[in-house]
Amino acid sequence: MLRPAALTLLALMAAAPASAQTVGRGDCQPHRNGEVRCAVRVDIPGGNRPYSVFITATRAGNTEARIVADTYISTCGTAGQLVGRSNIANSGTSHVAGFTNERSQAGAVTQGVLGFCVETFLTTCSSGGQAANCQQVLNLGATKIEVR
């Protein structure tokens, strides 16, 4: 039997804001020129809701690296609009972009349709202060993208 305090806690958890809930997860794969592409499709109704994009990056070696993360949103199957550029470390989870799906931060792409795509390209990597191939700096099997 649940106590009233436990029931209240469950009700509060169920009423948590949607922006904190994960709405899509995806993998990261090798791309061209040593880059890494992380992609996820989000299948939810349109609206003026804010989203945050996170990359969980895992380094391949012992040296800390720096990575440029460019994030694009699009109506799936069409060219994307840049909504964020971030510098991240290759260990842990990093916030790389924020946007609303009604209109991108760049103001040019309307995202009020069902099914939009988010892509983050990990480019311009360095390891130990030297330029490095992003595919060699990251453990791709453990590197993920998440939209909340």
Side-chain angles (χ1 to χ4, degrees):
M1 177 174 200
L2 291 175
R3 297 179 184 204
L7 289 173
T8 302
L9 179 62
L10 287 173
L12 288 173
M13 289 171 51
S19 62
Q21 297 173 352
T22 299
V23 295
R25 286 190 178 98
D27 292 326
C28 299
Q29 303 292 326
H31 196 54
R32 57 181 162 243
N33 302 321
E35 296 177 354
V36 173
R37 176 182 174 266
C38 305
V40 63
R41 179 185 172 107
V42 179
D43 288 317
I44 59 174
N48 195 22
R49 177 179 170 218
Y51 293 92
S52 293
V53 181
F54 295 87
I55 294 290
T56 300
T58 305
R59 64 180 169 220
N62 294 328
T63 306
E64 187 69 17
R66 300 300 301 169
I67 303 162
V68 173
D70 289 341
T71 300
Y72 295 81
I73 59 170
S74 68
T75 301
C76 297
T78 65
Q81 180 70 38
L82 181 68
V83 294
R85 174 170 280 168
S86 302
N87 292 308
I88 63 172
N90 71 330
S91 59
T93 300
S94 300
H95 178 265
V96 295
F99 63 93
T100 60
N101 76 329
E102 185 64 36
R103 195 127 176 98
S104 76
Q105 289 178 343
V109 178
T110 300
Q111 296 297 323
V113 297
L114 182 64
F116 63 95
C117 289
V118 178
E119 295 176 289
T120 297
F121 294 90
L122 305 177
T123 66
T124 318
C125 294
S126 64
S127 179
Q130 302 292 320
N133 180 317
C134 294
Q135 295 172 18
Q136 294 173 348
V137 167
L138 293 166
N139 175 346
L140 293 182
T143 299
K144 306 290 182 194
I145 187 172
E146 182 175 275
V147 178
R148 299 179 193 161

